[in-house]
Amino acid sequence: MGQTLARSVIGGFLWLAAASLLATTAFAQTVGSEGLSPTLSAIKTAHTVRLGYRESSPPFSFLDQSGRPIGYSLELCEAIVEEIGVEVDDPNLRTDYVKVTSDDRIDAVLQNKIDLECGSTTANAERGKRVAFSPLMFVAGTKLMVPKGAPISGVADLKGRTVVVTKGTTNEQAMHAVDKKLSLGLNIVTAPDHEQSFRMVNDGKADAFATDDILLYGLIARHKAQEYFRVVGDYLSYDPYGIMFRKGEPQLAALVERAFRKLGSNRDLVPLYNKWFTARLPTGERLNVPISLQLEEAFRAMDDSPSANN
């Protein structure tokens, strides 16, 4: 990813976050009897925070060998839960894990089924009209997973072939856009989640799986399939990730940012990244994806400690 374009992506993400925060302040906010926003008031009453998780988005959100949700995004959400506990004066909040998919995750937020969505969700202007996002936690982009040995080195080699995408993702939009632009005549099919998309290529039902590159590397590592599949092509989209939550609640938005800034000021963001992207995962695999200069720069911007400007 070129530095100029990457800076533009991060700048666009920061603009989106700022615009979202400004937009939320324009709404009249209903508050509970203790001056809490609707989401925080409901959490205080239930003593529970509901976290939306994904089953097959390693290393962001996935299941360990015992079926327990784990991942980078969930750890970030846990830090937000701690901050929520401070805000509602309840340090012993329970956590409920609610499974979501790429297709229903936004509705889960809008319909009040979850309080935080802790997955691998792209924050873009279109989605920002409906939901709010945390500060930047990762930058990815659409690439292709293909069988090793297949004569495919980029999207142009897919002319007339079948490509699987996961339903409800920005990757689906990216593939339709490139198909139209290059007149490739692609047969674009959808699967309900990344695991099913992976299996379609594995089973020979699709020639390629198009999704964010980091998710492809995670799935290949999880299936120990490095000798069978490879990730190819130029980036077909650029996707900044964030934790998703309900729009129109400035108190909640400020709390989420405060949680990120505490992690940044304590120098915890980079070690947390390394835990999930460079070290061996609890499930045994290792991705070996070092932090990008662009993401490291974004994390430094979260550091409010006195030494940050020294």
Side-chain angles (χ1 to χ4, degrees), residues 2-273:
Q3 289 190 0
T4 301
L5 184 52
R7 282 195 293 270
S8 174
V9 171
I10 291 175
F13 184 92
L14 294 176
W15 173 88
L16 171 63
S20 177
L21 186 58
L22 287 172
T24 60
T25 61
F27 288 90
Q29 176 174 295
T30 304
V31 296
S33 59
E34 298 184 46
L36 296 172
S37 73
T39 296
L40 296 177
S41 180
I43 288 172
K44 185 174 179 66
T45 299
H47 306 287
T48 302
V49 183
R50 299 161 302 166
L51 304 183
Y53 73 93
R54 301 287 295 278
E55 286 190 324
S56 55
S57 293
F60 299 92
S61 182
F62 60 112
L63 302 178
D64 66 11
Q65 293 94 330
S66 65
R68 181 176 65 96
I70 60 172
Y72 172 67
S73 301
L74 285 163
E75 279 215 45
L76 288 171
C77 279
E78 287 164 10
I80 297 172
V81 171
E82 286 186 19
E83 196 63 29
I84 291 174
V86 173
E87 189 80 2
V88 304
D89 193 25
D90 186 347
N92 299 310
L93 289 171
R94 295 189 301 270
T95 301
D96 278 354
Y97 294 95
V98 181
K99 185 180 78 169
V100 298
T101 69
S102 56
D103 197 35
D104 67 16
R105 57 190 164 175
I106 295 177
D107 285 340
V109 172
L110 294 174
Q111 296 170 9
N112 198 26
K113 294 178 180 178
I114 59 174
D115 301 307
L116 301 170
E117 191 267 336
C118 318
S120 51
T121 298
T122 298
N124 58 29
E126 180 184 353
R127 288 173 173 172
K129 297 174 183 177
R130 306 174 68 200
V131 293
F133 289 95
S134 73
L136 181 71
M137 67 175 190
F138 194 81
V139 180
T142 304
K143 284 199 171 187
L144 306 170
M145 185 193 82
V146 299
K148 277 195 172 178
I152 301 170
S153 58
V155 68
D157 299 321
L158 287 173
K159 189 163 187 173
R161 294 177 180 264
T162 297
V163 180
V164 62
V165 293
T166 303
K167 189 176 182 182
T169 60
T170 54
N171 317 109
E172 182 178 2
Q173 300 168 20
M175 290 311 299
H176 281 289
V178 75
D179 181 35
K180 182 178 180 180
K181 180 179 179 181
L182 301 180
S183 300
L184 295 173
L186 298 178
N187 177 29
I188 300 173
V189 298
T190 62
D193 210 340
H194 298 316
E195 181 66 22
Q196 289 92 327
S197 295
F198 177 91
R199 291 193 178 280
M200 284 196 66
V201 180
N202 185 69
D203 296 342
K205 296 178 180 177
D207 298 292
F209 171 24
T211 196
D212 294 346
D213 55 334
I214 187 61
L215 298 178
L216 294 174
Y217 291 126
L219 286 163
I220 290 171
R222 191 176 189 192
H223 286 276
K224 298 179 174 58
Q226 291 88 343
E227 62 180 298
Y228 302 110
F229 300 105
R230 59 195 176 103
V231 178
V232 301
D234 296 327
Y235 283 104
L236 304 175
S237 70
Y238 292 93
D239 301 282
Y241 286 3
I243 302 297
M244 184 167 54
F245 54 96
R246 271 179 290 287
K247 191 179 177 72
E249 298 192 34
Q251 185 181 17
L252 178 59
L255 180 156
V256 171
E257 177 157 349
R258 191 160 66 244
F260 268 72
R261 290 195 174 277
K262 282 187 177 181
L263 290 171
S265 298
N266 291 334
R267 310 292 203 280
D268 289 333
L269 285 170
V270 173
L272 180 60
Y273 176 96

Side-chain angles (χ1 to χ4, degrees), residues 282-300:
T283 44
E285 58 270 29
R286 188 192 297 268
L287 299 186
N288 289 320
V289 178
I291 190 168
S292 67
L293 293 176
Q294 294 79 18
L295 186 59
E296 196 167 16
E297 182 181 331
F299 284 171
R300 278 199 299 269

